[in-house]
Amino acid sequence: MTAYLKLDHIDKVFTRGAATTEVLKDINLTIEKGEYVSIIGHSGCGKSTLLNIIAGLTGATTGGVLLENREVNSPGPDRAVVFQNHSLLPWLTVYENVRLGVDKVFAKTKSRAERDAWVMHNLNLVQMTHARDKRPSEISGGMKQRVGIARALAMEPKVLLLDEPFGALDALTRAHLQDSVMALHQKLGNTILMITHDVDEAVLLSDRIVMMTNGPSARIGEVLEVPLTRPRKRLELATNTTYLKCRQRVLEFLYERHRFVEAA
Amino acid sequence: MNMTATKIEVETATPAATVAPVVALTPKRPPRAEAYARMARETAVRVIPPLVVIALLTLVWELVCRRAGSALPPPSKVFADTRELIFDPFFDHGGIDKGLFWHLSASLQRVAFGYSLSAIAGIALGVLVGQSVWAMRGLDPLFQVLRTIPPLAWLPLSLAAFRDGQPSAIFVIFITSIWPIIINTAVGIRNIPQDYRNVAAVVQLNPLEFFAKIMIPAAAPYIFTGLRIGIGLSWLAIVAAEMLIGGVGIGFFIWDAWNSSHISEIILALFYVGIVGFVLDRLIAGLGKFVTRGTAQN
């Protein structure tokens, strides 16, 4: 088993004045190429901090992130992020938002026409070509997130980082988008790391689910393999015993052994 | 239950498909005459109320100032006294004996100079203060004190420094209008959502690209608020400054009229000052609206 992405003894301590808070403690994880891994935990457990460390947006206090055996500690397009609230630039059109990344990443390797075609190809993957000249304020939340995904995909990242990508969407749109992401993963074989707090979403999409204990000093409590074959169908899984067992397992972890402490 | 539901769906689906092209063929556009009528109505609703108010106020003014011994002239006298100035704004008898157009254009030129300088310097300093915590800590207290100094208080100092009226007036405009531009730009830069910064980091924009593609568009609504306040202050300051420095300019025109007891000319000049100030304000507001289109709401 070769590690594609490796989180190596990551600790994170926030210091404000004299007070220090240990957010993450000794996080170790290896992810293989093409794997879909979810990180689940209660809010405040530091899962977003962990994603920011992997993305290079925040530095780890000790330990590090290795991508293909090379340490990465600054942000880059090889670890493109789909942000929770889409983070599209409102003054750019859908097309321009995707193009922004493409122009930087492929500045030397692709010609103008190729970059244009590549942007359209990625918009097509998320079925958003029809809105190419619209501004983010003119499209729905689900569409924005699709564009966010297209923007990340268009950078051809080695690892796609999803930061609660469906958290701000209504249930129907969320299901629809989850199916889209599953289809994309199937088609493109990306390595995906997703932060979520939705148990069903984690079980449905992931190959492995990483469950985090409550902070402060959050650790990886348990890693669960989801041995469901792909492609997975939402409706069929509703009665699938493996699915239900996995779901049960995660629920037990979150609500029995590591119940959310209000005071924290 | 299931069966009937599917059936309904099929039935409604078929007519919908045939109706669609018909709808597309008859574009819903009201007849031209109707559109003009509506436009006329909308204009009337906006234009008539202020006209009525102005007419009423003029009437009151006329009635109040008409009596013999009144200190200020009624509108009819103002018009009679300033006929020449109104109908021939372009005359030039040399010196400062020029038409109002020349006075206004001299003032506007000074404002254009001073304001352009303050816009450039203000945005640059605002970006610095907004971006760097240390620059803010160092400069912000200074700005907060300096900005409370009234425009005219700067004039003697700038006259001492420049030894000439023209650059002094421009400096007064600059120093008056720069503060709201700096402060608003800084607030705009500080309020750039972390998300946009993260996006820029992931895409690896260099500082120059970040400035042009993220910072300026993101802060544009704030910057234009500052620019709009700034242009208003510039116009306020120039009239006052020109009263003191003399020469051609609407400010000195007013002062000169006062010295020669031409009260009607003062009233006419005030009218023009108001109109020009209003137009300047609208120009910047319109420019801001054009530049920040689509960015206001997210």
Side-chain angles (χ1 to χ4, degrees), chain A residues 163-236:
Chain A
D163 186 4
E164 297 186 23
F166 317 117
L169 303 174
D170 66 90
L172 292 174
T173 315
R174 188 184 307 165
H176 195 52
L177 222 57
Q178 285 165 351
D179 291 342
S180 297
V181 167
M182 253 197 299
L184 284 171
H185 180 234
Q186 191 78 16
K187 189 173 171 184
L188 305 173
N190 304 81
T191 310
I192 301 180
L193 183 70
M194 177 175 78
I195 303 289
T196 184
H197 49 223
D198 182 331
V199 177
D200 290 288
E201 179 174 287
V203 179
L204 176 69
L205 296 173
S206 329
D207 297 315
R208 277 193 295 156
I209 301 174
V210 175
M211 293 172 254
M212 293 189 61
T213 64
N214 283 329
S217 302
R219 291 168 294 103
I220 293 179
E222 194 177 326
V223 180
L224 177 73
E225 296 259 356
V226 183
L228 290 166
T229 51
R230 290 177 188 273
R232 297 173 182 171
K233 296 258 163 53
R234 180 184 301 278
L235 288 175
E236 290 167 16

Side-chain angles (χ1 to χ4, degrees), chain A:
Chain A
M1 174 167 142
T2 51
Y4 188 60
L5 178 73
K6 187 173 161 84
L7 312 185
D8 194 13
H9 296 92
I10 290 179
D11 290 355
K12 178 68 184 176
V13 181
F14 281 120
T15 314
R16 175 176 285 174
T20 58
T21 331
E22 189 174 43
V23 183
L24 297 169
K25 187 164 176 58
D26 203 26
I27 304 287
N28 284 295
L29 185 67
T30 54
I31 295 171
E32 287 172 65
K33 191 167 183 171
E35 208 177 5
Y36 196 128
V37 176
S38 292
I39 297 179
I40 196 166
H42 290 292
S43 73
C45 76
K47 51 193 195 301
S48 282
T49 308
L50 183 58
L51 184 119
N52 282 344
I53 291 171
I54 300 168
L57 296 167
T58 321
T61 309
T62 55
V65 181
L66 296 160
L67 181 60
E68 288 186 312
N69 290 322
R70 288 166 78 175
E71 185 170 7
V72 285
N73 47 22
S74 62
D78 54 349
R79 284 151 291 133
V81 187
V82 176
F83 298 94
Q84 177 174 10
N85 50 355
H86 66 79
S87 298
L88 298 179
L89 304 177
W91 52 88
L92 299 180
T93 63
V94 163
Y95 175 87
E96 288 164 341
N97 263 292
V98 180
R99 179 80 187 238
L100 183 72
V102 170
D103 275 347
K104 278 304 279 184
V105 178
F106 301 105
K108 296 195 178 99
T109 47
K110 277 184 160 69
S111 73
R112 223 162 218 293
E114 280 171 334
R115 291 199 297 253
D116 172 66
W118 179 242
V119 171
M120 291 314 285
H121 170 75
N122 280 283
L123 282 178
N124 190 33
L125 282 179
V126 296
Q127 291 132 42
M128 284 301 296
T129 41
H130 61 92
R132 59 167 286 173
D133 293 322
K134 292 228 168 80
R135 284 174 201 281
S137 55
E138 298 164 339
I139 59 178
S140 70
M143 287 176 165
K144 283 178 203 165
Q145 201 50 281
R146 281 173 187 279
V147 179
I149 293 169
R151 175 172 65 185
L153 283 176
M155 293 183 231
E156 264 190 345
K158 290 177 178 155
V159 182
L160 189 60
L161 302 172
L162 308 180
D163 186 4
E164 297 186 23
F166 317 117
L169 303 174
D170 66 90
L172 292 174
T173 315
R174 188 184 307 165
H176 195 52
L177 222 57
Q178 285 165 351
D179 291 342
S180 297
V181 167
M182 253 197 299
L184 284 171
H185 180 234
Q186 191 78 16
K187 189 173 171 184
L188 305 173
N190 304 81
T191 310
I192 301 180
L193 183 70
M194 177 175 78
I195 303 289
T196 184
H197 49 223
D198 182 331
V199 177
D200 290 288
E201 179 174 287
V203 179
L204 176 69
L205 296 173
S206 329
D207 297 315
R208 277 193 295 156
I209 301 174
V210 175
M211 293 172 254
M212 293 189 61
T213 64
N214 283 329
S217 302
R219 291 168 294 103
I220 293 179
E222 194 177 326
V223 180
L224 177 73
E225 296 259 356
V226 183
L228 290 166
T229 51
R230 290 177 188 273
R232 297 173 182 171
K233 296 258 163 53
R234 180 184 301 278
L235 288 175
E236 290 167 16
L237 287 179
T239 52
N240 183 312
T241 46
T242 320
Y243 175 84
L244 292 174
K245 262 186 202 157
C246 290
R247 192 168 174 274
Q248 185 67 25
R249 191 72 186 272
V250 180
L251 286 173
E252 274 170 14
F253 179 91
L254 289 176
Y255 298 106
E256 277 180 15
R257 281 181 284 155
H258 296 278
R259 198 189 310 219
F260 184 55
V261 190
E262 288 295 338

